[in-house]
Amino acid sequence: MKVWTILIVVCAFGAAFSGYWTVASAHPSASTPSTLYNYLEDSQYSYLATLSPNSLYNTTTLTPGNGTLFTAITRWVNLTFDFALVSTAVVNVSTTGSFQVAITTSAWTKPIETVPLRAGVTDGTVESLVAAYALNVSTIGSIVRSIDLQTGFSPGYYSVVLTTSLASVVTDGRSVTHVATAPFLSLNFTAGQIRPSSFHTSSIGSVASSDPVVTPSLTAPALLPVGILIACLAGIVVAGWFLYLGYDGRIDDLPALMAPYQEAIVDVRGPPVASSTIPVKSWDDIVKVADTIGLPILRTVRMPIDGDASPTTVFYVVSAGTAYVFVHNPDDPTPTLPPGSVVPSGAAATATPQVAAWKEAYPRIPGADLGSLDSFVDWSDRLNRRIASFRPQSPVRVDAETLVLKAVGLARRGELDAAWTVLAQAYSRLGPWGADGRTPRGTRPLDAKPGR
């Protein structure tokens, strides 16, 4: 029983550990950044072109999408740049940068002008910046032709590129964020036309907190901890079951239970003389009888019989010719039930190889009704009276008394067929019997007590 108890404790610790492991693997902690605020950068180029009087358009001004710019009739291109930084939180923004104009070809680049820019906002959500530049088309053409004459290189096309480089510092009292952007507009001079590139650019960003948010994410648990958990739970169930089966009123740690009652226990060589015996179920029951009557507990040890693996220790409390008996044998699965237990007549016994062997080795008791509990009780009393005629230390008496006690225990737990088989062993041990098989033969056995 100690082994099963230790196994339960070990499996309990294993189940607790693997259970924690399973939960941890099924709900791993995930750290995700906490967003303080979002922001939007928006850059927009536009122009207003001034034309010479012409027969093509009924106007001397053009805006994007209203007509093609021809180099021959275009005098000025007034460029504007609008920038906005929009935040979802109240912030402070400081922006610096420049507006750069350059002529580029496939072979060279010529800077034309750089205009410094500056903007800012305090405790706001929108910062805006506006820049403008007037591009003289004829001046640009003169510069290109001059370089062509000097270098002897005549490009097939050239472009005027406007680049706005901005750097912003955004603060919200909890963090400092640096934002940079460089939108550009290209005016391509080719085949007598001025063709602008994209006018609009935008980007979205966010600012994260330095303290991430830890959130559980449900995933399938790992197989290893689940397997260990199932094995530990199964071990607890199996060990608990065997521990339960092992606790039937018998004493496994006999010295420990007897220790408090050593002064009341008397060792004897054989069973005491008694006219009747009453089996009790447990050690506690025999102690109660001794305390109630005020008599000592007699103890005797019987050597193994019928294949039992361990000696049997029997305790008696004798009063007025009646012996209260508790039998301890760790290897004997048959409990001795207390008086008053009722077994239905004709109860079936478990058919075991041992019972079958006993039936072949020992004859049936003459006149016994194997389906009647009353007949079994009658024969048990008859054999007890026969047992009382033998000397207390007689081996025949010791063996027969043990068999009768075992048979009574089997009958009281409902195994009447096995009980009759064991009782037949006692019957054969207590012979010789008379011709009717029911009464002892006239001559006394050699070890019979004188005067009986």
Side-chain angles (χ1 to χ4, degrees):
M1 294 179 68
K2 288 183 178 179
V3 174
W4 299 118
T5 303
I6 294 173
L7 181 59
I8 288 177
V9 174
V10 172
C11 288
F13 278 106
F17 172 75
S18 57
Y20 174 78
W21 188 4
T22 300
V23 173
S25 66
H27 299 274
S29 298
S31 298
T32 56
S34 174
T35 301
L36 294 177
Y37 60 90
N38 300 315
Y39 62 87
L40 167 69
E41 291 181 290
D42 188 82
S43 301
Q44 179 73 45
Y45 285 98
S46 186
Y47 67 83
L48 176 64
T50 302
L51 308 179
S52 301
N54 59 85
S55 301
L56 179 60
Y57 301 113
N58 295 324
T59 180
T60 57
T61 59
L62 282 180
T63 56
N66 292 323
T68 302
L69 296 177
F70 292 96
T71 308
I73 62 175
T74 303
R75 299 173 58 188
W76 293 87
V77 179
N78 297 303
L79 298 163
T80 59
F81 172 73
D82 292 286
F83 172 78
L85 192 151
V86 182
S87 171
T88 58
V90 176
V91 294
N92 298 323
V93 183
S94 175
T95 300
T96 58
S98 62
F99 186 81
Q100 301 169 347
V101 183
I103 302 173
T104 65
T105 68
S106 60
W108 50 266
T109 298
K110 173 66 176 179
I112 300 299
E113 189 170 357
T114 299
V115 179
L117 302 175
R118 183 179 297 276
V121 65
T122 302
D123 294 336
T125 58
V126 179
E127 180 208 45
S128 61
L129 181 148
V130 178
Y133 180 76
L135 179 68
N136 189 314
V137 176
S138 61
T139 300
I140 296 298
S142 298
I143 295 173
V144 172
R145 286 191 296 271
S146 175
I147 295 175
D148 288 348
L149 291 174
Q150 294 175 5
T151 62
F153 174 77
S154 180
Y157 71 93
Y158 61 90
S159 302
V160 177
V161 179
L162 297 90
T163 304
T164 305
S165 300
L166 300 175
S168 301
V169 178
V170 184
T171 60
D172 68 337
R174 294 170 292 179
S175 65
V176 177
T177 303
H178 297 270
V179 180
T181 184
F184 69 92
L185 173 66
S186 178
L187 299 176
N188 300 314
F189 290 72
T190 179
Q193 300 177 16
I194 304 174
R195 296 177 180 177
S197 63
S198 176
F199 291 99
H200 179 258
T201 60
S202 64
S203 63
I204 298 175
S206 62
V207 177
S209 170
S210 59
D211 299 325
V213 176
V214 179
T215 56
S217 57
L218 179 61
T219 60
L223 295 179
L224 179 59
V226 172
I228 296 176
L229 177 61
I230 294 175
C232 290
L233 293 177
I236 291 175
V237 172
V238 172
W241 174 250
F242 279 103
L243 188 63
Y244 170 76
L245 292 180
Y247 183 74
D248 56 4
R250 295 180 289 109
I251 305 171
D252 289 333
D253 193 2
L254 192 58
L257 291 181
M258 291 193 308
Y261 306 96
Q262 287 296 337
E263 295 182 356
I265 298 175
V266 178
D267 288 316
V268 295
R269 293 185 177 180
V273 177
S275 58
S276 62
T277 58
I278 300 177
V280 297
K281 180 180 180 181
S282 67
W283 168 256
D284 291 338
D285 292 332
I286 200 70
V287 170
K288 290 178 183 178
V289 172
D291 289 342
T292 302
I293 300 176
L295 294 174
I297 300 174
L298 308 180
R299 178 179 64 180
T300 183
V301 179
R302 300 174 178 175
M303 297 308 295
I305 60 172
D306 299 321
D308 290 339
S310 301
T312 300
T313 304
V314 186
F315 299 89
Y316 300 87
V317 176
V318 182
S319 175
T322 299
Y324 297 89
V325 185
F326 169 66
V327 179
H328 168 260
N329 184 347
D331 299 323
D332 187 356
T334 305
T336 303
L337 302 182
S341 300
V342 178
V343 179
S345 177
T350 302
T352 63
Q354 186 180 24
V355 172
W358 285 345
K359 285 184 178 181
E360 294 180 3
Y362 299 99
R364 174 178 171 179
I365 300 177
D369 184 359
L370 301 184
S372 172
L373 180 61
D374 292 338
S375 177
F376 177 84
V377 173
D378 175 64
W379 270 103
S380 298
D381 291 341
R382 186 173 301 171
L383 293 183
N384 279 328
R385 290 193 298 270
R386 176 66 166 163
I387 289 171
S389 66
F390 289 83
R391 290 181 290 106
Q393 292 80 17
S394 168
V396 174
R397 175 169 179 162
V398 171
D399 290 353
E401 190 175 51
T402 300
L403 291 170
V404 171
L405 288 173
K406 181 181 292 188
V408 171
L410 288 168
R412 285 177 173 164
R413 72 185 264 184
E415 300 183 6
L416 192 57
D417 186 31
W420 274 113
T421 304
V422 175
L423 200 66
Q425 295 182 62
Y427 173 83
S428 64
R429 297 283 181 91
L430 294 172
W433 295 85
D436 59 357
R438 301 175 63 86
T439 56
R441 189 175 297 174
T443 59
R444 290 183 287 109
L446 295 178
D447 60 355
K449 187 178 180 179
R452 289 279 185 175

